[in-house]
Coordinates of all heavy atoms in Angstrom, one line a residue:
G1416 N 20.7 36.6 28.1 CA 20.7 37.5 29.3 C 21.5 37.0 30.4 O 21.4 35.8 30.7
W1417 N 22.4 37.8 30.8 CA 23.3 37.4 32.0 C 22.9 38.2 33.2 O 22.4 39.4 33.0 CB 24.8 37.7 31.7 CG 25.4 36.8 30.7 CD1 24.9 35.6 30.2 CD2 26.7 37.0 30.1 NE1 25.9 35.1 29.4 CE2 26.9 35.9 29.3 CE3 27.7 38.0 30.2 CZ2 28.1 35.7 28.6 CZ3 28.9 37.8 29.5 CH2 29.1 36.7 28.7
E1418 N 23.0 37.7 34.3 CA 22.8 38.4 35.5 C 23.9 39.5 35.7 O 24.9 39.4 35.1 CB 22.8 37.4 36.7 CG 21.8 36.4 36.7 CD 20.4 36.9 36.8 OE1 20.2 37.9 37.5 OE2 19.5 36.3 36.2
M1419 N 23.6 40.5 36.5 CA 24.5 41.6 36.6 C 25.9 41.1 37.2 O 26.9 41.6 36.7 CB 23.9 42.7 37.5 CG 24.8 43.9 37.6 SD 25.2 44.6 36.0 CE 23.7 45.4 35.5
D1420 N 25.8 40.1 38.1 CA 27.1 39.7 38.6 C 28.0 39.0 37.5 O 29.2 39.1 37.5 CB 26.9 38.7 39.8 CG 26.3 37.4 39.4 OD1 25.4 37.4 38.6 OD2 26.8 36.4 39.9
A1421 N 27.3 38.4 36.5 CA 28.1 37.8 35.4 C 28.7 38.9 34.6 O 29.9 38.7 34.2 CB 27.1 37.0 34.5
W1422 N 28.0 39.9 34.3 CA 28.6 41.1 33.6 C 29.8 41.6 34.3 O 30.9 41.9 33.7 CB 27.6 42.2 33.3 CG 26.7 41.9 32.2 CD1 25.3 41.6 32.3 CD2 26.9 41.7 30.8 NE1 24.7 41.4 31.1 CE2 25.7 41.4 30.2 CE3 28.1 41.9 30.1 CZ2 25.7 41.2 28.8 CZ3 28.0 41.7 28.7 CH2 26.8 41.4 28.1
E1423 N 29.6 41.8 35.6 CA 30.7 42.3 36.4 C 31.9 41.4 36.5 O 33.1 41.9 36.4 CB 30.2 42.6 37.9 CG 29.2 43.7 38.0 CD 29.7 45.0 37.3 OE1 30.9 45.4 37.5 OE2 28.9 45.7 36.7
R1424 N 31.7 40.1 36.5 CA 32.9 39.2 36.5 C 33.6 39.2 35.1 O 34.8 39.3 35.1 CB 32.4 37.8 36.8 CG 31.9 37.6 38.2 CD 31.7 36.1 38.6 NE 31.3 35.2 37.6 CZ 30.1 34.8 37.3 NH1 29.1 35.2 38.1 NH2 29.8 33.9 36.4
V1425 N 32.9 39.3 34.0 CA 33.5 39.4 32.7 C 34.2 40.7 32.6 O 35.4 40.8 32.1 CB 32.5 39.2 31.6 CG1 33.1 39.5 30.2 CG2 32.0 37.7 31.6
R1426 N 33.6 41.8 33.1 CA 34.3 43.1 33.0 C 35.6 43.1 33.8 O 36.6 43.6 33.4 CB 33.4 44.2 33.6 CG 32.3 44.6 32.6 CD 31.6 45.9 33.2 NE 30.5 46.2 32.3 CZ 29.2 46.0 32.7 NH1 28.9 45.6 33.9 NH2 28.2 46.3 31.9
A1427 N 35.6 42.4 35.0 CA 36.8 42.3 35.8 C 37.9 41.5 35.1 O 39.1 42.0 35.1 CB 36.4 41.7 37.1
V1428 N 37.6 40.4 34.4 CA 38.6 39.7 33.7 C 39.1 40.5 32.5 O 40.3 40.5 32.2 CB 38.0 38.3 33.2 CG1 39.0 37.6 32.3 CG2 37.6 37.4 34.4
C1429 N 38.2 41.2 31.8 CA 38.7 42.1 30.7 C 39.6 43.2 31.2 O 40.6 43.5 30.6 CB 37.5 42.7 30.0 SG 36.5 41.5 29.0
A1430 N 39.2 43.8 32.4 CA 40.0 44.9 33.0 C 41.4 44.3 33.3 O 42.4 45.0 33.1 CB 39.3 45.5 34.2
A1431 N 41.5 43.1 33.9 CA 42.8 42.5 34.3 C 43.6 42.3 33.0 O 44.8 42.5 33.0 CB 42.5 41.2 35.0
A1432 N 43.0 41.8 31.9 CA 43.7 41.6 30.7 C 44.2 43.0 30.1 O 45.3 43.0 29.7 CB 42.8 41.0 29.7
A1433 N 43.4 44.0 30.2 CA 43.8 45.3 29.7 C 45.0 45.8 30.5 O 45.9 46.5 29.9 CB 42.6 46.3 29.8
R1434 N 45.0 45.6 31.8 CA 46.1 46.0 32.6 C 47.4 45.4 32.2 O 48.5 45.9 32.4 CB 45.9 45.8 34.1 CG 44.9 46.8 34.7 CD 44.9 46.7 36.2 NE 44.4 45.4 36.7 CZ 43.1 45.0 36.9 NH1 42.2 45.9 36.6 NH2 42.8 43.8 37.3
R1435 N 47.3 44.2 31.5 CA 48.5 43.5 31.0 C 48.8 43.8 29.6 O 49.6 43.1 28.9 CB 48.3 42.0 31.2 CG 48.3 41.6 32.7 CD 48.3 40.2 33.0 NE 49.4 39.4 32.5 CZ 49.5 38.1 32.6 NH1 48.6 37.4 33.2 NH2 50.5 37.5 32.1
G1436 N 48.1 44.8 29.0 CA 48.3 45.2 27.6 C 47.5 44.5 26.6 O 47.8 44.6 25.4
V1437 N 46.5 43.7 27.0 CA 45.8 42.9 26.0 C 44.5 43.7 25.6 O 43.8 44.2 26.4 CB 45.3 41.5 26.7 CG1 44.5 40.7 25.7 CG2 46.6 40.7 27.1

Side-chain angles (χ1 to χ4, degrees):
W1417 286 351
E1418 299 295 325
M1419 187 52 75
D1420 70 316
W1422 283 112
E1423 293 305 320
R1424 291 191 331 258
V1425 171
R1426 282 189 189 111
V1428 173
C1429 289
R1434 284 191 297 275
R1435 293 183 62 181
V1437 177

